[in-house]
Amino acid sequence: MNIDSKTIISVTAANQNFSKVVKMVEENGEAVIFKRNKPRYLMIDIDNVKITDKAYEQLKDWQKESKGKKT
């Protein structure tokens, strides 16, 4: 799964500066909020709802891959 580094923000930074997350979404169409160094939340521009399914599948694939590496 590929996540553009311009769209990544930590949950702490997102909590402290929500306007930064909004700006990120406005510029890139999405923001991926990481919690404990893993993608946890996806914020998207509602005009980009069509990409939601693809992004969701990518995140699920990433989760499966990361779980497989732990065992």
Side-chain angles (χ1 to χ4, degrees), residues 15-51:
N15 187 39
Q16 293 173 350
N17 194 352
F18 186 71
S19 62
K20 183 176 181 178
V21 180
V22 172
K23 183 177 179 183
M24 190 180 294
V25 173
E26 288 174 350
E27 291 175 357
N28 302 295
E30 67 180 33
V32 182
I33 303 171
F34 273 52
K35 184 175 184 179
R36 296 187 179 115
N37 296 319
K38 296 179 183 178
R40 181 70 177 164
Y41 307 102
L42 176 65
M43 183 172 164
I44 63 166
D45 183 330
I46 200 158
D47 291 333
N48 293 333
V49 171
K50 292 178 185 175
I51 68 162

